Amino acid sequence: MSQPSFETLLYAVEDGVATITLNRPDKLNAFTARMMKELIEVFDVTDADDAVKVVIVTGAGRAFCAGADLSSGGATFDRTSPQALEREEGKVGDVYRDGGGRVTLRIYDSLKPVIAAVNGPAVGVGATMQLAMDIRLAAEDAKFGFVFARRGITPEACSSWFLPRLVGMQTALEWCYTGRVFPATEAKESGFVRSLHAPDDLLPAARALAREIADNTAPVSVALTRQLLWRMAGADHPMEAHKADSRAIQSRGASGDAKEGVTSFLEKRAPAYPNRVSTDLPDIWPEWEPRQFR
């Protein structure tokens, strides 16, 4: 596929790994309506490209994302102000859909694993956009903050659903009540971050993890696994998982990928999985209805 170009992002694919770089370094990669739209678009690109097996998201310069662009001053979060016109396409009835939520919902639906390489400050939406990503690695000097109450607003980007599932209700409430900015060590201790790295080692570590996935696993199996774990996070009974598991195992067990996975293991060689996410992803969710904003 030809590589797309964006105003607020850099995008590159190498050996099955796509790297998305938030690219407003002079503004600490502050989040704008344009960045929102481009993040949604770039995950459409990664889903459609079978050459992409894993996605890494990082930031240009010294920040991951410093939160919403505050250049509009006190009107930044006012949906009746002129800048809200950029978000008009997300308006449903008299409600403007939260831009961060539109991004996290798109990442939640990703068919490829998503690794965050948090290279610096990640505050506000810079922290919450990571919640639908699968694994977070951070530089030792990175900082995080769910600062919404200190700006007179509330948590967004579906973080009231994601954050307690990642770190527990008590930690989620403390972080959101206080709005304080905290160090990467605290993020790791809470389980929010998987590992800490020297700044120069961060991207190599993220790429090594991506390679472990890309080189050894069947992309269709990984796509289904991602759906199973994320969708079942909100299931009301394990029977829902059993129904989906059963359909997945039945479909995958008869696939060329399963034959190759077993054969390559027995022959002690690297696998060459034949199935593709774009054409061979089975529907194991006959009762699943896409959720609508109403």
Side-chain angles (χ1 to χ4, degrees):
M1 293 181 65
S2 60
Q3 299 305 308
S5 60
F6 301 97
E7 291 181 21
T8 67
L9 310 175
L10 299 176
Y11 181 74
V13 179
E14 183 177 356
D15 294 332
V17 178
T19 301
I20 300 167
T21 304
L22 310 180
N23 189 40
R24 302 184 71 222
D26 57 324
K27 301 294 185 182
L28 300 182
N29 303 320
F31 187 83
T32 63
R34 170 57 58 185
M35 184 179 287
M36 171 199 70
K37 293 176 183 178
E38 292 187 348
L39 280 168
I40 293 169
E41 180 183 346
V42 76
F43 278 95
D44 290 341
V45 172
T46 58
D47 271 2
D49 188 353
D50 285 324
V52 173
K53 296 180 173 62
V54 186
V55 179
I56 295 173
V57 182
T58 192
R62 63 186 183 88
F64 180 79
C65 173
D69 189 318
L70 302 180
S71 59
S72 297
T76 296
F77 302 110
D78 184 355
R79 295 299 186 247
T80 66
S81 65
Q83 74 269 16
L85 296 176
E86 293 186 88
R87 302 177 185 268
E88 196 70 28
E89 66 181 33
K91 189 177 183 183
V92 178
D94 61 352
V95 177
Y96 288 92
R97 291 183 61 188
D98 163 50
R102 292 175 64 188
V103 170
T104 56
L105 286 169
R106 180 62 191 86
I107 298 172
Y108 173 86
D109 285 332
S110 173
L111 298 176
K112 314 296 171 70
V114 185
I115 299 170
V118 186
N119 57 299
V123 176
V125 70
T128 57
M129 75 164 66
Q130 301 174 39
L131 298 177
M133 300 178 193
D134 302 308
I135 305 169
R136 286 159 294 281
L137 287 65
E140 293 166 337
D141 57 356
K143 296 181 180 180
F144 300 82
F146 297 84
V147 298
F148 309 101
R150 294 195 180 202
R151 305 292 181 267
I153 57 172
T154 53
E156 39 62 271
C158 309
S159 53
S160 57
W161 191 90
F162 284 105
L163 188 58
R165 285 170 167 79
L166 291 172
V167 301
M169 185 62 77
Q170 179 172 257
T171 298
L173 287 169
E174 180 194 338
W175 285 353
C176 293
Y177 283 164
T178 65
R180 63 183 176 83
V181 175
F182 53 91
T185 51
E186 183 174 342
K188 183 178 184 300
E189 290 165 0
S190 73
F192 184 71
V193 165
R194 173 254 201 190
S195 55
L196 302 182
H197 304 269
D200 290 344
D201 296 335
L202 176 64
L203 271 177
R207 288 174 181 141
L209 178 58
R211 290 255 58 84
E212 183 74 16
I213 300 168
D215 293 344
N216 298 292
T217 62
V220 174
S221 294
V222 171
L224 288 174
T225 299
R226 192 176 197 276
Q227 289 181 346
L228 285 166
L229 268 65
W230 274 117
R231 292 184 180 188
M232 290 301 99
D236 62 356
H237 193 281
M239 178 57 77
E240 299 307 310
H242 178 57
K243 291 189 290 187
D245 292 349
S246 299
R247 292 185 176 97
I249 287 290
Q250 178 172 311
S251 174
R252 291 270 75 204
S255 71
D257 280 353
K259 294 179 177 65
E260 172 63 9
V262 173
T263 301
S264 62
F265 174 75
L266 294 175
E267 294 178 352
K268 296 181 173 58
R269 60 172 173 81
Y273 296 108
N275 297 139
R276 298 289 175 263
V277 171
S278 62
T279 56
D280 302 311
L281 187 68
D283 181 8
I284 64 170
W285 310 97
E287 300 170 2
W288 186 268
E289 294 289 340
R291 298 299 178 93
Q292 303 297 322
F293 187 96
R294 295 187 175 90

